[in-house]
Every structure is written in C-alpha cells, then in structure tokens.
Amino acid sequence: MDHDVSALCVDRHRAFGEAIAQMDRNRRGIVLVVDEHEQLVGTITDGDVRRAILSRIDLREPVTALLETKSRTPYARPITAPIGQDPATYLELLTQHRILHLPLLDARQRVAGLATMEQFLQHQPLALHAIVMAGGQGSRLTPLTEDLPKPMLPVGDRPLMEIVIQQLRAAGITRVKVSTHHKPEKIEEHFGDGQAFGVRLSYVAEDRPLGTAGALGLVEVPDETTLVINGDILTQVDFRAMLAYHREHQADLTVAVRHYDVEVPYGVVECEGAMVRRLTEKPVSRLFVNAGIYLLEPSVYRFIPNGERFDMTDLIQRLLDHQRPVASFPIREYWLDIGQHADYQLAQEHAKTLNLAKEAAE
C-alpha cells in the first residue's frame, strides 16, 4: 500500500495541468483531490486525463471543473476504504467494483494511503498477447531498407524492434507474434524463438503485402485481447493504462491516437452562397491521428478477411458500419513514427537523450 500522501494528493484549487504533473511524478495513474482539511473530494485517473485531452480541456482549468464533469458519470463518487484493513479486503473491493485504485481514509475521512490493483498483480503477466507488424517494405527509407527490414534498423545500440519487444516484456506481455514479408530471415535470425529476450516469439509470414490488418486474417482467432503495434514505432506508451482504458470503455477495438496540428498557411474565407461570413487568418486545425497501436477483442477477427489485403482503417470502418464500439486512446507519452529519413535521424537523437534503448532493456 502507498502511504506517501504528499505524492498522491493535489489541492482542489490547483490547475488541471498541475494535477497531470503530479500523476506523472507518483506513477500511480491517479491523483487524489483534497480540500484544505486533506479530506477526499474526488479522484482524477489516467483515463480521466486522456478523455479530457480528447475534449480539449484547457490545462489551466481548476481540477474542480473536471470533477464537475465527472459528477455526471457513474464514477462521480470514488470507492474508498478505511486505512489499516487486511490487504485481502482491499483486493476484494478492487475486484468487486472493477477498479484499479482504492483511496484509503483515516477516521476523520482524510487521505491516508492508496491500494492499487497493480500492487497485487505486479508480478503477473498481462492477459494479453501482442502482434508486431513488421512486414512493410520501408521504401521511404531506402537505401537503408534495401537489405534490412525497417524494424531492424538500429536505434542507439539495438534494432528498433528489439526496443519494442523489450517494452512489451516490461509491461508483462510475453507472447508475441511478428508478421513478416520483406527480408524475414533478418528478423528471425536475430530474435529466434524470443527466449533470449524474455518472450515467446512466433512468426506469421505474408507471401505478399496484406496491409496493416491483413496478417491478422492468417492467425488463429485468440481467446483474449490482442495488442497490435506497428514495428516502426518508437514510443513510451503505457500498455497497461491502454488496456485498462479499453476495458473501461467496453470497446471491441481501441485505437491509440496522437494529437496533430495542421496550420493553413493562408487566410480562410467562409462563405454562405456569394456572401463572406467569416475570415480567419492562418487557422490551425487540431486533429487526432492514428498512432499505429491497437487493442482488439476476439470478436473483431470475424470482420477480417482471410488472406486478403486489408488495412486497420478498413477494419475500423467495418466495425463502425456494424455499430460495434470503437474507442480512441490519446497518447500523451513519447511517440515517434519512423517513416522517413528525418524521422530516423530524430530517433537516433532521442535514443541518446531519452535513453530509450537502455530503458527498454531494464
């Protein structure tokens, strides 16, 4: 149990951005909002933060504004427990209410600690397996990819895909499939069965490029959630947080998204018929783009054709057409898609400053 209250709590008058910073420092995926008497007012979780990002909430807003929005949801009042009880009691409450965090209060209803599901399950692997999409040609990175698959390009002192594999293992994901097409022997020679990297690795060979989702049609339908990640992504995304978000929203598929600004370099004229109604000088459109990381439930596989070219965008649209729930998970952690030479050079610089390769291996 966590008893460092100062690391867990944030005053209700603080700005939302300060609450996020406090959450990042305590690394628990939650902050406990308290009043001047240190009594619990509410909670802000990692999922709340990501939903607020999608709503484009101003980081200068007080946390009470977010709590007001949350008061209209089923999560308005946090489940709590008295401090000093048996840990088994806390685990029962966490399980019964399907929550990840349980604030602990003293006799005066002041915050005294926190119990988390992660503390009970930290040594257990996630009920999740992963598929790394590594079959692309990487034509925009030629000549580097003429004799080497893009995921095998070195970043720092190791191949990019080795960093991805190590990050999966660090998150508790030990069963990994890799889809291959271009120079598959380079990948298989390096990774083998994955034992040297702490995972169980197998391969799905594409005899021709099948798109970003087509390889899924070649595998046996799993009986648990699948994490699919493009093999050319360098990221520090929290896979456990993404899985919790996916389950909280009861989604068939969750797609990770990334904030992206598009600036129009001209004044935009809005017209109604022949009449000008508004002129905006160089407006910026704030968009969310596909980040190449997905969570899929087994039911999704029936929408994927066998042995045909099929992209993730096709799959998502097919699910939407059938009115299946698709959630978006905004990434607020580091993320870089290595698609072009400038991106690859940036990855090399970031590997040094962020120490990504070393961190993944630890």
Side-chain angles (χ1 to χ4, degrees):
M1 308 305 113
D2 285 318
H3 299 289
D4 185 0
V5 174
S6 62
L8 298 170
C9 296
V10 63
D11 185 88
R12 62 179 173 177
H13 300 299
R14 292 290 186 179
F16 180 49
E18 294 179 76
I20 294 175
Q22 183 77 342
M23 185 184 302
D24 290 341
R25 285 192 294 269
N26 71 38
R27 302 177 67 87
R28 289 293 178 265
I30 192 172
V31 288
L32 310 180
V33 183
V34 297
D35 61 16
E36 57 273 17
H37 304 296
E38 299 182 358
Q39 293 181 327
L40 184 66
V41 176
T43 61
I44 296 176
T45 67
D46 180 86
D48 294 330
V49 170
R50 297 186 196 268
R51 283 184 287 271
I53 291 172
L54 291 173
S55 300
R56 297 181 170 85
I57 191 171
D58 190 332
L59 297 182
R60 296 168 295 183
E61 288 281 333
V63 294
T64 49
L66 184 59
L67 292 182
E68 174 60 28
T69 301
K70 196 172 178 179
S71 69
R72 298 186 288 272
T73 74
Y75 311 102
R77 297 179 62 85
I79 305 298
T80 64
I83 190 73
Q85 294 191 338
D86 187 274
T89 301
Y90 299 147
L91 177 58
E92 182 179 352
L93 285 170
L94 288 162
T95 304
Q96 175 187 345
H97 295 282
R98 298 182 179 181
I99 54 178
L100 300 178
H101 309 91
L102 183 67
L104 307 179
L105 309 181
D106 65 14
R108 297 172 60 184
Q109 299 301 297
R110 297 177 303 185
V111 173
L114 179 73
T116 69
M117 184 63 80
E118 184 178 2
Q119 290 164 339
F120 290 101
L121 303 179
Q122 58 183 332
H123 299 301
Q124 296 185 20
L126 284 178
L128 188 68
H129 76 278
I131 298 181
V132 179
M133 295 298 184
Q137 191 78 24
S139 56
R140 290 180 297 172
L141 282 169
T142 54
L144 298 176
T145 53
E146 287 180 352
D147 296 312
L148 201 64
K150 182 164 59 169
M152 293 302 294
L153 292 176
V155 173
D157 61 352
R158 65 188 66 219
L160 168 60
M161 201 174 90
E162 186 174 324
I163 297 174
V164 174
I165 295 292
Q166 298 286 11
Q167 289 173 326
L168 294 174
R169 187 194 67 178
I173 302 169
T174 58
R175 291 162 298 156
V176 182
K177 290 184 183 294
V178 179
S179 72
T180 62
H181 173 68
H182 175 60
K183 303 291 182 180
E185 68 281 359
K186 301 288 187 178
I187 296 176
E188 295 181 27
E189 288 171 3
H190 184 82
F191 289 101
D193 62 4
Q195 183 176 350
F197 302 91
V199 298
R200 288 178 287 163
L201 209 60
S202 58
Y203 301 91
V204 181
E206 301 178 36
D207 57 3
R208 67 185 190 285
L210 294 177
T212 52
L216 299 178
L218 302 178
V219 304
E220 182 179 350
V221 176
D223 57 5
E224 62 189 6
T225 309
T226 306
L227 170 69
V228 179
I229 180 169
N230 292 350
D232 56 358
I233 291 174
L234 196 60
T235 183
Q236 292 177 318
V237 66
D238 187 337
F239 297 120
R240 286 184 178 270
M242 185 175 179
L243 179 60
Y245 185 96
H246 172 76
R247 289 175 174 168
E248 181 180 352
H249 289 83
Q250 299 180 323
D252 280 6
L253 184 149
T254 293
V255 52
V257 297
R258 183 74 175 173
H259 177 257
Y260 188 78
D261 285 344
V262 178
E263 181 177 349
V264 179
Y266 307 102
V268 173
V269 181
E270 297 180 29
C271 302
E272 184 177 321
M275 307 307 294
V276 173
R277 297 305 182 198
R278 185 179 181 186
L279 177 63
T280 307
E281 185 64 26
K282 298 180 180 179
V284 176
S285 295
R286 310 200 71 182
L287 308 173
F288 289 99
V289 298
N290 186 343
I293 308 171
Y294 316 85
L295 287 172
L296 286 68
E297 289 303 309
S299 59
V300 168
Y301 281 76
R302 65 188 176 92
F303 295 96
I304 302 171
N306 186 6
E308 297 179 19
R309 182 175 180 84
F310 199 63
D311 286 323
M312 274 293 183
T313 50
D314 300 322
L315 175 58
I316 291 171
Q317 188 58 56
R318 185 168 291 184
L319 290 172
L320 295 175
D321 291 343
H322 285 79
Q323 298 183 323
R324 303 306 304 166
V326 177
S328 59
F329 176 81
I331 293 178
R332 61 187 191 90
E333 300 91 340
Y334 174 81
W335 177 90
L336 177 66
D337 173 28
I338 304 177
Q340 303 186 52
H341 285 276
D343 302 319
Y344 183 54
Q345 182 58 43
L346 198 58
Q348 301 293 4
E349 296 171 8
H350 290 176
K352 297 174 184 176
T353 58
L354 297 178
N355 216 11
L356 289 167
K358 181 177 185 297
E359 181 176 300
E362 292 177 346

